[in-house]
Amino acid sequence: MVRGMTGFRGSFQLMGLCFGGINKGLALCVAVMSLAVSVPQAHAALQIDITQGNIDPLPIAVVDFLGPGSQERQIGVDVAKVIGADLERSGLFRPLPSASYIERIQDVNVQPRFGDWRVISAQALVTGQTVVEPDGRLKVEFRLWDIYAEQQITGLQFYTTPENWRRVAHIIADAIYERLTGEKGYFDTRIVHVSESGSKGQRVKRLAIMDQDGHNPRMLTNGADLVLTPRFSPSNQEITYLSYYGNRPRVYLLDIETGQQEVVGDFPGMTFAPRFSPDGQKIIMSLQRGGNADIYEMDLRSRQTRRVTNTAAIDTAPSYSPDGRYITFESDRGGSQQIYVMNADGSGAQRISFGTGRYATPVWSPRGDLIAFTKMIKGRFVIGIMKPDGTGERVLTEGYHNEGPTWSPNGRVLMFFRETRGENGGPSLWSVDLTGYNERPVYTPAFASDPAWSPRLN
């Protein structure tokens, strides 16, 4: 347990315009597809109410996308798998097994036999096809059907390179999620984390980035120096993190696309938990000076630092509210480790956690309505949430060592790391939604800790 570090331890094109991704290789085009099937346009009756505490997942059929050739058909199978997996992992959808399908979709331009899908209790159906165009581009199109209303809800088509099929699948899953829940999805996002390898006493820690479902992992640092607490910039383009160079802590900026690194802070004392402001113009962090840690803010243009707190206590783990007006942080100024909220200028600090145990790593939700935290109580670690005024505290999950919550960009899911006991134990990534019922492991090729969820890529 390391007290004071992190707590306890391109352009898109719509209707003829084009989106560019963060990475040039991810450039995509999307266009609203005209309805080719002769069914009436209407607002869908199908809608998931995600305001309820315990949600019964919506049965949905995601059929393999069609294709004229073997390459297109294989991509179509893979796209359908990724869409189904994304939706299923959200806990809001229950993809039906393909073996239960009665109708075999032969043409996406033909209205499905709705009765066949009602027999297997499907409420929604996703069909689509993939085609490699003569110029080498991959065209992916899909349709979402409301089985009981017997109408198409939405349909989109995308153009990209064949290598980008997985990202298109995530974007389609986001479109389905948004259409059926009324809220933005979070599948076309990435996770940066600390990848850990080697024996327990000699762990090599490197920054790694991957898709939110664990695919496409790649290393961002070489492991020569210890790295901690990576955090995305609001633009998705940069990461700030802490690294030890010659046993001296430094705050870095890393450009994800170019790999260029820049030292923004080389402070004489310990430095903890740097995090971007909502406008990306500042970094807030905790610096240890004169024997105690206070919160400081650095203007990235002038590189001037401003002291935000000034107490004899340990103030650390700061996180801005989405509007930038407030900061939540952890402090032992009241005699025990608790969560506080203050104005962004450091005034008006108020303690908001009053339950049993020690609270840490508060993180403000992107929606602004909740603060996630870690709490240690009776030798167990829990991940919980509370409102910014401290009311409504709820525990979402607990374990031997859970820590480091990070929010999905729609504020509906948290990712965190869980450490296991023993010589062969280590940290792994998990996600849990706000109901607390939908807890799932996130695959990584090595031990992984300290995740940070990116904003949406598009």
Side-chain angles (χ1 to χ4, degrees), residues 226-230 240-244 249-252 271-274:
L226 175 67
V227 293
L228 295 167
T229 62
T240 182
Y241 68 99
L242 182 67
S243 182
Y244 283 80
R250 286 177 167 177
V251 175
Y252 284 83
T271 310
F272 310 115

Side-chain angles (χ1 to χ4, degrees), residues 37 67 131 141 178 233 281 290 307 324 334 356 360 366 391 415 449:
V37 182
V131 177
E141 63 182 80
E178 182 174 2
S233 70
Q281 301 299 313
R307 191 170 187 165
T356 304
T391 62
M415 194 174 290
S449 62

Side-chain angles (χ1 to χ4, degrees), residues 5 18 39 63 78 186 194 230 286 293-295 300 337 375 404 416 422 424 456:
M5 283 190 173
C18 257
V39 292
V63 303
D78 294 336
Y186 56 88
V194 176
S286 182
D294 278 299
I295 294 171
L300 289 175
Q337 195 174 344
K375 181 167 75 170
F416 61 96
N424 297 320
R456 295 182 189 86

